[in-house]
Amino acid sequence: MSEALDEEQVAMLRRAFQMFDSSKLGKIEKEKVRTIMNTLGHTFDDMELDALLEEEDKEGGK
């Protein structure tokens, strides 16, 4: 998996998440996450992306 994200990158991801969460339901589709990460220069295969999402999803997909 790619190297760990620093605090600035995490803050940028949070802002991007809020922009992509147009319905304001607190969730976005996996492919939107992939787009955000690719834009930031991070490439993940399906297994890596699933692991990242599972690790960072504090509410278990709710």
Side-chain angles (χ1 to χ4, degrees), residues 28-40 42-47 49-50 53:
I28 59 176
E29 295 82 16
K30 180 168 99 172
E31 289 309 312
K32 287 184 179 180
V33 174
R34 186 186 309 276
T35 299
I36 294 167
M37 298 304 287
N38 286 342
T39 300
L40 294 173
H42 300 279
T43 304
F44 296 90
D45 65 29
D46 284 336
M47 289 179 56
L49 186 56
D50 287 341
L53 294 174

Side-chain angles (χ1 to χ4, degrees), residues 3-61:
E3 62 190 54
L5 302 175
D6 63 31
E7 289 182 34
E8 182 178 336
Q9 289 173 316
V10 171
M12 189 181 319
L13 285 173
R14 288 185 193 281
R15 287 191 300 271
F17 179 92
Q18 291 169 348
M19 289 189 320
F20 276 86
D21 182 20
S22 56
S23 61
K24 303 303 178 210
L25 295 175
K27 59 184 177 181
I28 59 176
E29 295 82 16
K30 180 168 99 172
E31 289 309 312
K32 287 184 179 180
V33 174
R34 186 186 309 276
T35 299
I36 294 167
M37 298 304 287
N38 286 342
T39 300
L40 294 173
H42 300 279
T43 304
F44 296 90
D45 65 29
D46 284 336
M47 289 179 56
E48 291 172 331
L49 186 56
D50 287 341
L52 174 71
L53 294 174
E54 185 175 318
E55 177 182 324
E56 295 300 325
D57 185 4
K58 306 296 186 217
E59 296 180 6

